Amino acid sequence: MNLIGTKWKPLVLFHLLEGGLRSGILQKKIPGISNKMFTQTLRQLEKDGLINRKVFPVVPPKVEYSLTERGTSLEPILRSLDAWGMEDCKR
Amino acid sequence: MNLIGTKWKPLVLFHLLEGGLRSGILQKKIPGISNKMFTQTLRQLEKDGLINRKVFPVVPPKVEYSLTERGTSLEPILRSLDAWGMEDCKR
DNA sequence: GCAATAACTTACCCAAATGTAATATACATA
DNA sequence: TATGTATATTACATTTGGGTAAGTTATTGC
């Protein structure tokens, strides 16, 4: 799954700890992430079974991401990374 | 510091949790790491202030690595990564 | 003299991660 | 008809992690 060895995954997960978010809002919480890496990271996390993707059939599109149970189980790790002041979680 | 975003750093630190080790022995605990990445990773960790490097002026050379206090403070993170079964810590 | 030893280092190369920028979709509305 | 909107994808370039293999050092012992 490679949570480690990737720049953005932990960051994305961290911002979902407080609850699900709309795509756009989540992205704004991660300054510096490119459009591409944002969706690419989400796709991977979804494939890893760590997040849910919920699409609302409206226009313009609305998509919400939230942690799965498995994703939530990472909370201790994500919080300790944050507490420790890991660069990648500071942004 | 980028503990995350690198393949080997957490692994090296993890194996030092139980105490300092000679270079060669530490390397053997990390199958798959190349000679180059091994020393390169150690240099980075040393620069990050996470490990100590102690050289014994003997022949053939003897070098021991151990965690600094700062490095030891990562123990909860390293252990939870391991407990979670992170791929990189399974080897 | 010459091989063996432990710990590195260096040159060279490839592949994977990431960045940039343009484009797509589908409908509402001015 | 043209524009805005939120989400996403694609092609292309660049950066960086990582591998391989050979060379370095300084001594001991055959």
Side-chain angles (χ1 to χ4, degrees):
Chain A
M1 128 157 5
N2 234 15
L3 174 61
I4 284 195
T6 181
K7 189 174 172 182
W8 303 111
K9 281 183 185 180
L11 211 39
V12 169
L13 293 171
F14 183 78
H15 286 294
L16 290 176
L17 280 179
E18 309 301 335
L21 288 176
R22 271 194 83 158
S23 179
I25 292 176
L26 176 56
Q27 186 166 6
K28 270 171 202 148
K29 293 203 175 215
I30 311 178
I33 196 172
S34 69
N35 211 326
K36 169 188 163 188
M37 288 314 297
F38 182 63
T39 34
Q40 182 175 308
T41 302
L42 290 169
R43 296 290 163 277
Q44 288 171 8
L45 291 174
E46 198 188 353
K47 195 181 284 180
D48 292 341
L50 297 178
I51 63 172
N52 292 309
R53 180 170 189 262
K54 188 174 179 185
V55 180
F56 299 82
V58 297
V59 164
K62 172 176 177 178
V63 179
E64 267 194 13
Y65 293 99
S66 57
L67 294 182
T68 61
E69 196 174 328
R70 180 173 166 77
T72 305
S73 77
L74 283 169
E75 177 157 6
I77 298 181
L78 296 169
R79 294 232 185 265
S80 32
L81 283 173
D82 181 52
W84 205 84
M86 226 36 55
E87 244 185 304
D88 294 309
C89 282
K90 266 187 198 161
R91 317 184 183 202
Chain B
M1 128 154 7
N2 233 15
L3 173 61
I4 284 197
T6 182
K7 188 175 172 183
W8 303 110
K9 279 185 186 180
L11 210 39
V12 168
L13 292 172
F14 184 77
H15 287 294
L16 289 177
L17 280 179
E18 309 302 334
L21 287 175
R22 265 194 89 156
S23 179
I25 293 178
L26 176 56
Q27 186 166 6
K28 271 171 201 148
K29 295 205 174 214
I30 311 177
I33 197 173
S34 70
N35 211 327
K36 170 188 160 185
M37 287 314 296
F38 182 63
T39 34
Q40 182 175 307
T41 301
L42 290 170
R43 294 290 165 277
Q44 288 170 11
L45 290 174
E46 199 188 352
K47 196 182 284 181
D48 293 341
L50 296 177
I51 63 172
N52 292 309
R53 179 169 190 265
K54 188 174 179 185
V55 181
F56 297 81
V58 296
V59 164
K62 171 174 176 177
V63 179
E64 266 194 13
Y65 294 98
S66 58
L67 294 182
T68 60
E69 195 174 328
R70 180 173 167 77
T72 306
S73 77
L74 282 170
E75 176 156 7
I77 299 181
L78 296 169
R79 295 233 185 261
S80 30
L81 283 173
D82 181 52
W84 205 85
M86 228 36 53
E87 245 184 303
D88 295 306
C89 284
K90 266 188 198 162
R91 319 184 181 203

mmCIF file of all heavy atoms in Angstrom, chain A residues 12-52:
data_model
loop_
_atom_site.group_PDB
_atom_site.id
_atom_site.type_symbol
_atom_site.label_atom_id
_atom_site.label_comp_id
_atom_site.label_asym_id
_atom_site.label_seq_id
_atom_site.Cartn_x
_atom_site.Cartn_y
_atom_site.Cartn_z
ATOM 1 N N VAL A 12 -3.424 13.851 2.880
ATOM 2 C CA VAL A 12 -4.833 13.760 2.505
ATOM 3 C C VAL A 12 -5.623 13.067 3.605
ATOM 4 O O VAL A 12 -6.665 13.559 4.058
ATOM 5 C CB VAL A 12 -4.999 12.997 1.175
ATOM 6 C CG1 VAL A 12 -6.456 12.665 0.931
ATOM 7 C CG2 VAL A 12 -4.443 13.809 0.018
ATOM 8 N N LEU A 13 -5.119 11.954 4.050
ATOM 9 C CA LEU A 13 -5.805 11.198 5.096
ATOM 10 C C LEU A 13 -5.971 12.048 6.348
ATOM 11 O O LEU A 13 -7.036 12.053 6.974
ATOM 12 C CB LEU A 13 -5.016 9.925 5.434
ATOM 13 C CG LEU A 13 -4.964 8.877 4.325
ATOM 14 C CD1 LEU A 13 -3.995 7.772 4.685
ATOM 15 C CD2 LEU A 13 -6.359 8.317 4.052
ATOM 16 N N PHE A 14 -4.911 12.765 6.680
ATOM 17 C CA PHE A 14 -4.947 13.581 7.894
ATOM 18 C C PHE A 14 -6.106 14.561 7.878
ATOM 19 O O PHE A 14 -6.804 14.743 8.877
ATOM 20 C CB PHE A 14 -3.620 14.333 8.049
ATOM 21 C CG PHE A 14 -3.548 15.144 9.303
ATOM 22 C CD1 PHE A 14 -3.297 14.526 10.515
ATOM 23 C CD2 PHE A 14 -3.733 16.519 9.268
ATOM 24 C CE1 PHE A 14 -3.233 15.268 11.688
ATOM 25 C CE2 PHE A 14 -3.671 17.265 10.439
ATOM 26 C CZ PHE A 14 -3.414 16.636 11.652
ATOM 27 N N HIS A 15 -6.330 15.176 6.738
ATOM 28 C CA HIS A 15 -7.377 16.193 6.658
ATOM 29 C C HIS A 15 -8.776 15.601 6.633
ATOM 30 O O HIS A 15 -9.761 16.320 6.740
ATOM 31 C CB HIS A 15 -7.155 17.077 5.432
ATOM 32 C CG HIS A 15 -6.014 18.024 5.607
ATOM 33 N ND1 HIS A 15 -6.014 19.051 6.521
ATOM 34 C CD2 HIS A 15 -4.800 18.080 5.008
ATOM 35 C CE1 HIS A 15 -4.877 19.706 6.467
ATOM 36 N NE2 HIS A 15 -4.110 19.132 5.559
ATOM 37 N N LEU A 16 -8.844 14.301 6.477
ATOM 38 C CA LEU A 16 -10.166 13.662 6.492
ATOM 39 C C LEU A 16 -10.512 13.109 7.869
ATOM 40 O O LEU A 16 -11.617 12.602 8.081
ATOM 41 C CB LEU A 16 -10.222 12.536 5.447
ATOM 42 C CG LEU A 16 -10.231 12.992 3.983
ATOM 43 C CD1 LEU A 16 -10.185 11.803 3.048
ATOM 44 C CD2 LEU A 16 -11.468 13.848 3.698
ATOM 45 N N LEU A 17 -9.564 13.234 8.788
ATOM 46 C CA LEU A 17 -9.798 12.671 10.120
ATOM 47 C C LEU A 17 -11.013 13.296 10.803
ATOM 48 O O LEU A 17 -11.734 12.629 11.528
ATOM 49 C CB LEU A 17 -8.564 12.875 11.017
ATOM 50 C CG LEU A 17 -7.414 11.888 10.818
ATOM 51 C CD1 LEU A 17 -6.269 12.222 11.741
ATOM 52 C CD2 LEU A 17 -7.899 10.467 11.063
ATOM 53 N N GLU A 18 -11.230 14.579 10.535
ATOM 54 C CA GLU A 18 -12.334 15.266 11.214
ATOM 55 C C GLU A 18 -13.678 15.021 10.544
ATOM 56 O O GLU A 18 -14.705 15.527 10.998
ATOM 57 C CB GLU A 18 -12.063 16.775 11.266
ATOM 58 C CG GLU A 18 -10.703 17.159 11.818
ATOM 59 C CD GLU A 18 -10.473 16.649 13.246
ATOM 60 O OE1 GLU A 18 -11.479 16.448 13.939
ATOM 61 O OE2 GLU A 18 -9.306 16.430 13.616
ATOM 62 N N GLY A 19 -13.659 14.301 9.444
ATOM 63 C CA GLY A 19 -14.925 14.021 8.764
ATOM 64 C C GLY A 19 -14.797 14.172 7.260
ATOM 65 O O GLY A 19 -13.800 14.691 6.755
ATOM 66 N N GLY A 20 -15.791 13.697 6.544
ATOM 67 C CA GLY A 20 -15.766 13.763 5.090
ATOM 68 C C GLY A 20 -15.732 15.189 4.575
ATOM 69 O O GLY A 20 -16.153 16.113 5.254
ATOM 70 N N LEU A 21 -15.200 15.364 3.371
ATOM 71 C CA LEU A 21 -15.091 16.689 2.777
ATOM 72 C C LEU A 21 -15.384 16.632 1.281
ATOM 73 O O LEU A 21 -15.126 15.628 0.621
ATOM 74 C CB LEU A 21 -13.677 17.236 2.971
ATOM 75 C CG LEU A 21 -13.253 17.682 4.363
ATOM 76 C CD1 LEU A 21 -11.794 18.080 4.347
ATOM 77 C CD2 LEU A 21 -14.129 18.850 4.827
ATOM 78 N N ARG A 22 -15.877 17.740 0.789
ATOM 79 C CA ARG A 22 -16.019 17.867 -0.660
ATOM 80 C C ARG A 22 -14.646 17.938 -1.285
ATOM 81 O O ARG A 22 -13.709 18.477 -0.694
ATOM 82 C CB ARG A 22 -16.752 19.174 -1.014
ATOM 83 C CG ARG A 22 -18.248 19.048 -1.086
ATOM 84 C CD ARG A 22 -18.844 20.252 -1.754
ATOM 85 N NE ARG A 22 -18.799 20.153 -3.209
ATOM 86 C CZ ARG A 22 -19.603 20.843 -4.001
ATOM 87 N NH1 ARG A 22 -20.510 21.650 -3.494
ATOM 88 N NH2 ARG A 22 -19.510 20.711 -5.310
ATOM 89 N N SER A 23 -14.562 17.451 -2.491
ATOM 90 C CA SER A 23 -13.295 17.430 -3.195
ATOM 91 C C SER A 23 -12.576 18.785 -3.163
ATOM 92 O O SER A 23 -11.421 18.872 -2.738
ATOM 93 C CB SER A 23 -13.534 17.001 -4.637
ATOM 94 O OG SER A 23 -12.333 16.987 -5.346
ATOM 95 N N GLY A 24 -13.265 19.816 -3.612
ATOM 96 C CA GLY A 24 -12.638 21.131 -3.707
ATOM 97 C C GLY A 24 -12.114 21.636 -2.381
ATOM 98 O O GLY A 24 -11.038 22.239 -2.311
ATOM 99 N N ILE A 25 -12.894 21.414 -1.338
ATOM 100 C CA ILE A 25 -12.501 21.895 -0.016
ATOM 101 C C ILE A 25 -11.292 21.135 0.503
ATOM 102 O O ILE A 25 -10.354 21.720 1.044
ATOM 103 C CB ILE A 25 -13.688 21.759 0.954
ATOM 104 C CG1 ILE A 25 -14.790 22.742 0.530
ATOM 105 C CG2 ILE A 25 -13.248 22.024 2.380
ATOM 106 C CD1 ILE A 25 -16.048 22.648 1.329
ATOM 107 N N LEU A 26 -11.310 19.853 0.296
ATOM 108 C CA LEU A 26 -10.163 19.034 0.699
ATOM 109 C C LEU A 26 -8.898 19.508 0.005
ATOM 110 O O LEU A 26 -7.853 19.678 0.616
ATOM 111 C CB LEU A 26 -10.436 17.561 0.359
ATOM 112 C CG LEU A 26 -9.300 16.581 0.619
ATOM 113 C CD1 LEU A 26 -8.839 16.645 2.069
ATOM 114 C CD2 LEU A 26 -9.724 15.166 0.264
ATOM 115 N N GLN A 27 -9.038 19.767 -1.278
ATOM 116 C CA GLN A 27 -7.865 20.191 -2.034
ATOM 117 C C GLN A 27 -7.312 21.519 -1.521
ATOM 118 O O GLN A 27 -6.107 21.721 -1.461
ATOM 119 C CB GLN A 27 -8.210 20.305 -3.525
ATOM 120 C CG GLN A 27 -6.987 20.592 -4.383
ATOM 121 C CD GLN A 27 -7.235 20.377 -5.860
ATOM 122 O OE1 GLN A 27 -8.355 20.106 -6.282
ATOM 123 N NE2 GLN A 27 -6.188 20.497 -6.655
ATOM 124 N N LYS A 28 -8.211 22.417 -1.153
ATOM 125 C CA LYS A 28 -7.756 23.723 -0.659
ATOM 126 C C LYS A 28 -7.022 23.588 0.668
ATOM 127 O O LYS A 28 -6.232 24.450 1.041
ATOM 128 C CB LYS A 28 -8.944 24.673 -0.503
ATOM 129 C CG LYS A 28 -9.214 25.463 -1.775
ATOM 130 C CD LYS A 28 -10.525 26.239 -1.694
ATOM 131 C CE LYS A 28 -11.028 26.552 -3.108
ATOM 132 N NZ LYS A 28 -12.514 26.588 -3.197
ATOM 133 N N LYS A 29 -7.272 22.507 1.373
ATOM 134 C CA LYS A 29 -6.590 22.311 2.657
ATOM 135 C C LYS A 29 -5.169 21.808 2.465
ATOM 136 O O LYS A 29 -4.418 21.674 3.417
ATOM 137 C CB LYS A 29 -7.359 21.291 3.499
ATOM 138 C CG LYS A 29 -8.728 21.800 3.926
ATOM 139 C CD LYS A 29 -9.223 21.080 5.164
ATOM 140 C CE LYS A 29 -10.525 21.703 5.637
ATOM 141 N NZ LYS A 29 -10.654 21.711 7.084
ATOM 142 N N ILE A 30 -4.838 21.492 1.239
ATOM 143 C CA ILE A 30 -3.519 20.957 0.965
ATOM 144 C C ILE A 30 -2.807 21.838 -0.045
ATOM 145 O O ILE A 30 -2.645 21.461 -1.203
ATOM 146 C CB ILE A 30 -3.621 19.519 0.413
ATOM 147 C CG1 ILE A 30 -4.537 18.701 1.310
ATOM 148 C CG2 ILE A 30 -2.242 18.883 0.326
ATOM 149 C CD1 ILE A 30 -4.747 17.293 0.860
ATOM 150 N N PRO A 31 -2.394 23.025 0.376
ATOM 151 C CA PRO A 31 -1.739 23.943 -0.558
ATOM 152 C C PRO A 31 -0.468 23.303 -1.100
ATOM 153 O O PRO A 31 0.244 22.630 -0.373
ATOM 154 C CB PRO A 31 -1.429 25.169 0.302
ATOM 155 C CG PRO A 31 -1.454 24.683 1.704
ATOM 156 C CD PRO A 31 -2.378 23.509 1.759
ATOM 157 N N GLY A 32 -0.249 23.516 -2.363
ATOM 158 C CA GLY A 32 0.967 22.981 -2.965
ATOM 159 C C GLY A 32 0.724 21.709 -3.751
ATOM 160 O O GLY A 32 1.543 21.318 -4.567
ATOM 161 N N ILE A 33 -0.389 21.072 -3.505
ATOM 162 C CA ILE A 33 -0.648 19.849 -4.255
ATOM 163 C C ILE A 33 -1.178 20.237 -5.632
ATOM 164 O O ILE A 33 -1.979 21.167 -5.773
ATOM 165 C CB ILE A 33 -1.644 18.917 -3.529
ATOM 166 C CG1 ILE A 33 -1.579 17.516 -4.125
ATOM 167 C CG2 ILE A 33 -3.057 19.467 -3.596
ATOM 168 C CD1 ILE A 33 -2.376 16.474 -3.358
ATOM 169 N N SER A 34 -0.678 19.550 -6.639
ATOM 170 C CA SER A 34 -1.146 19.850 -7.987
ATOM 171 C C SER A 34 -2.457 19.128 -8.221
ATOM 172 O O SER A 34 -2.771 18.132 -7.565
ATOM 173 C CB SER A 34 -0.118 19.393 -9.012
ATOM 174 O OG SER A 34 -0.055 17.993 -9.052
ATOM 175 N N ASN A 35 -3.184 19.663 -9.157
ATOM 176 C CA ASN A 35 -4.448 19.080 -9.562
ATOM 177 C C ASN A 35 -4.295 17.591 -9.827
ATOM 178 O O ASN A 35 -5.109 16.773 -9.396
ATOM 179 C CB ASN A 35 -4.898 19.780 -10.832
ATOM 180 C CG ASN A 35 -6.389 19.838 -10.939
ATOM 181 O OD1 ASN A 35 -7.055 18.914 -10.505
ATOM 182 N ND2 ASN A 35 -6.911 20.903 -11.482
ATOM 183 N N LYS A 36 -3.260 17.277 -10.518
ATOM 184 C CA LYS A 36 -3.038 15.882 -10.896
ATOM 185 C C LYS A 36 -2.758 14.986 -9.696
ATOM 186 O O LYS A 36 -3.381 13.947 -9.525
ATOM 187 C CB LYS A 36 -1.867 15.794 -11.868
ATOM 188 C CG LYS A 36 -1.413 14.398 -12.107
ATOM 189 C CD LYS A 36 -0.143 14.397 -12.919
ATOM 190 C CE LYS A 36 0.562 13.079 -12.837
ATOM 191 N NZ LYS A 36 1.888 13.141 -13.463
ATOM 192 N N MET A 37 -1.813 15.399 -8.873
ATOM 193 C CA MET A 37 -1.459 14.566 -7.733
ATOM 194 C C MET A 37 -2.629 14.415 -6.776
ATOM 195 O O MET A 37 -2.773 13.390 -6.121
ATOM 196 C CB MET A 37 -0.244 15.155 -6.999
ATOM 197 C CG MET A 37 1.060 15.004 -7.733
ATOM 198 S SD MET A 37 1.301 13.338 -8.383
ATOM 199 C CE MET A 37 1.349 12.359 -6.880
ATOM 200 N N PHE A 38 -3.468 15.436 -6.743
ATOM 201 C CA PHE A 38 -4.618 15.366 -5.855
ATOM 202 C C PHE A 38 -5.524 14.200 -6.231
ATOM 203 O O PHE A 38 -5.772 13.306 -5.421
ATOM 204 C CB PHE A 38 -5.398 16.683 -5.890
ATOM 205 C CG PHE A 38 -6.573 16.703 -4.973
ATOM 206 C CD1 PHE A 38 -6.405 16.595 -3.603
ATOM 207 C CD2 PHE A 38 -7.861 16.843 -5.480
ATOM 208 C CE1 PHE A 38 -7.495 16.612 -2.750
ATOM 209 C CE2 PHE A 38 -8.956 16.859 -4.631
ATOM 210 C CZ PHE A 38 -8.775 16.744 -3.264
ATOM 211 N N THR A 39 -5.980 14.186 -7.473
ATOM 212 C CA THR A 39 -6.872 13.085 -7.854
ATOM 213 C C THR A 39 -6.134 11.756 -7.896
ATOM 214 O O THR A 39 -6.676 10.730 -7.521
ATOM 215 C CB THR A 39 -7.536 13.334 -9.221
ATOM 216 O OG1 THR A 39 -6.656 14.021 -10.073
ATOM 217 C CG2 THR A 39 -8.797 14.142 -9.052
ATOM 218 N N GLN A 40 -4.909 11.799 -8.315
ATOM 219 C CA GLN A 40 -4.163 10.544 -8.380
ATOM 220 C C GLN A 40 -4.032 9.907 -6.993
ATOM 221 O O GLN A 40 -4.202 8.697 -6.832
ATOM 222 C CB GLN A 40 -2.778 10.818 -8.970
ATOM 223 C CG GLN A 40 -1.923 9.581 -9.123
ATOM 224 C CD GLN A 40 -0.603 9.889 -9.823
ATOM 225 O OE1 GLN A 40 -0.597 10.483 -10.893
ATOM 226 N NE2 GLN A 40 0.505 9.521 -9.209
ATOM 227 N N THR A 41 -3.750 10.751 -6.019
ATOM 228 C CA THR A 41 -3.630 10.265 -4.652
ATOM 229 C C THR A 41 -4.960 9.714 -4.148
ATOM 230 O O THR A 41 -5.016 8.643 -3.541
ATOM 231 C CB THR A 41 -3.157 11.401 -3.730
ATOM 232 O OG1 THR A 41 -1.905 11.890 -4.205
ATOM 233 C CG2 THR A 41 -3.003 10.915 -2.305
ATOM 234 N N LEU A 42 -6.033 10.443 -4.456
ATOM 235 C CA LEU A 42 -7.352 9.973 -4.029
ATOM 236 C C LEU A 42 -7.681 8.616 -4.643
ATOM 237 O O LEU A 42 -8.212 7.726 -3.974
ATOM 238 C CB LEU A 42 -8.416 11.002 -4.416
ATOM 239 C CG LEU A 42 -8.378 12.304 -3.621
ATOM 240 C CD1 LEU A 42 -9.277 13.343 -4.235
ATOM 241 C CD2 LEU A 42 -8.767 12.045 -2.173
ATOM 242 N N ARG A 43 -7.354 8.453 -5.920
ATOM 243 C CA ARG A 43 -7.635 7.179 -6.579
ATOM 244 C C ARG A 43 -6.906 6.035 -5.889
ATOM 245 O O ARG A 43 -7.435 4.946 -5.709
ATOM 246 C CB ARG A 43 -7.217 7.245 -8.048
ATOM 247 C CG ARG A 43 -7.964 8.219 -8.909
ATOM 248 C CD ARG A 43 -9.397 7.813 -9.168
ATOM 249 N NE ARG A 43 -10.165 8.961 -9.653
ATOM 250 C CZ ARG A 43 -10.694 9.872 -8.853
ATOM 251 N NH1 ARG A 43 -10.588 9.757 -7.544
ATOM 252 N NH2 ARG A 43 -11.356 10.888 -9.351
ATOM 253 N N GLN A 44 -5.657 6.309 -5.554
ATOM 254 C CA GLN A 44 -4.872 5.262 -4.903
ATOM 255 C C GLN A 44 -5.431 4.922 -3.527
ATOM 256 O O GLN A 44 -5.564 3.756 -3.176
ATOM 257 C CB GLN A 44 -3.415 5.718 -4.765
ATOM 258 C CG GLN A 44 -2.670 5.750 -6.084
ATOM 259 C CD GLN A 44 -1.303 6.404 -5.966
ATOM 260 O OE1 GLN A 44 -0.831 6.706 -4.876
ATOM 261 N NE2 GLN A 44 -0.663 6.650 -7.094
ATOM 262 N N LEU A 45 -5.774 5.946 -2.787
ATOM 263 C CA LEU A 45 -6.311 5.715 -1.450
ATOM 264 C C LEU A 45 -7.622 4.950 -1.524
ATOM 265 O O LEU A 45 -7.935 4.128 -0.670
ATOM 266 C CB LEU A 45 -6.515 7.053 -0.725
ATOM 267 C CG LEU A 45 -5.225 7.783 -0.340
ATOM 268 C CD1 LEU A 45 -5.537 9.147 0.239
ATOM 269 C CD2 LEU A 45 -4.434 6.953 0.656
ATOM 270 N N GLU A 46 -8.377 5.243 -2.574
ATOM 271 C CA GLU A 46 -9.647 4.538 -2.746
ATOM 272 C C GLU A 46 -9.364 3.060 -3.037
ATOM 273 O O GLU A 46 -9.986 2.168 -2.459
ATOM 274 C CB GLU A 46 -10.418 5.181 -3.906
ATOM 275 C CG GLU A 46 -11.893 4.858 -3.917
ATOM 276 C CD GLU A 46 -12.543 5.370 -5.194
ATOM 277 O OE1 GLU A 46 -11.869 6.070 -5.973
ATOM 278 O OE2 GLU A 46 -13.728 5.042 -5.409
ATOM 279 N N LYS A 47 -8.410 2.853 -3.911
ATOM 280 C CA LYS A 47 -8.048 1.478 -4.257
ATOM 281 C C LYS A 47 -7.497 0.720 -3.047
ATOM 282 O O LYS A 47 -7.706 -0.481 -2.898
ATOM 283 C CB LYS A 47 -7.015 1.498 -5.395
ATOM 284 C CG LYS A 47 -6.844 0.168 -6.077
ATOM 285 C CD LYS A 47 -5.786 0.237 -7.169
ATOM 286 C CE LYS A 47 -6.293 0.938 -8.426
ATOM 287 N NZ LYS A 47 -5.278 1.006 -9.493
ATOM 288 N N ASP A 48 -6.817 1.455 -2.188
ATOM 289 C CA ASP A 48 -6.260 0.851 -0.974
ATOM 290 C C ASP A 48 -7.348 0.566 0.057
ATOM 291 O O ASP A 48 -7.082 -0.019 1.111
ATOM 292 C CB ASP A 48 -5.230 1.796 -0.328
ATOM 293 C CG ASP A 48 -3.978 1.946 -1.181
ATOM 294 O OD1 ASP A 48 -3.740 1.093 -2.049
ATOM 295 O OD2 ASP A 48 -3.246 2.922 -0.961
ATOM 296 N N GLY A 49 -8.548 1.066 -0.221
ATOM 297 C CA GLY A 49 -9.641 0.857 0.724
ATOM 298 C C GLY A 49 -9.574 1.757 1.945
ATOM 299 O O GLY A 49 -10.109 1.436 2.995
ATOM 300 N N LEU A 50 -8.921 2.901 1.786
ATOM 301 C CA LEU A 50 -8.774 3.798 2.932
ATOM 302 C C LEU A 50 -9.788 4.935 2.913
ATOM 303 O O LEU A 50 -10.075 5.522 3.946
ATOM 304 C CB LEU A 50 -7.353 4.376 2.963
ATOM 305 C CG LEU A 50 -6.248 3.340 3.153
ATOM 306 C CD1 LEU A 50 -4.885 3.999 3.117
ATOM 307 C CD2 LEU A 50 -6.440 2.605 4.473
ATOM 308 N N ILE A 51 -10.291 5.256 1.734
ATOM 309 C CA ILE A 51 -11.295 6.320 1.659
ATOM 310 C C ILE A 51 -12.485 5.891 0.790
ATOM 311 O O ILE A 51 -12.372 5.000 -0.039
ATOM 312 C CB ILE A 51 -10.718 7.636 1.071
ATOM 313 C CG1 ILE A 51 -10.262 7.413 -0.370
ATOM 314 C CG2 ILE A 51 -9.580 8.159 1.905
ATOM 315 C CD1 ILE A 51 -9.868 8.692 -1.082
ATOM 316 N N ASN A 52 -13.620 6.551 1.039
ATOM 317 C CA ASN A 52 -14.815 6.370 0.220
ATOM 318 C C ASN A 52 -14.978 7.560 -0.697
ATOM 319 O O ASN A 52 -14.630 8.686 -0.338
ATOM 320 C CB ASN A 52 -16.057 6.312 1.111
ATOM 321 C CG ASN A 52 -16.076 5.079 1.962
ATOM 322 O OD1 ASN A 52 -15.909 3.978 1.456
ATOM 323 N ND2 ASN A 52 -16.265 5.269 3.256
#
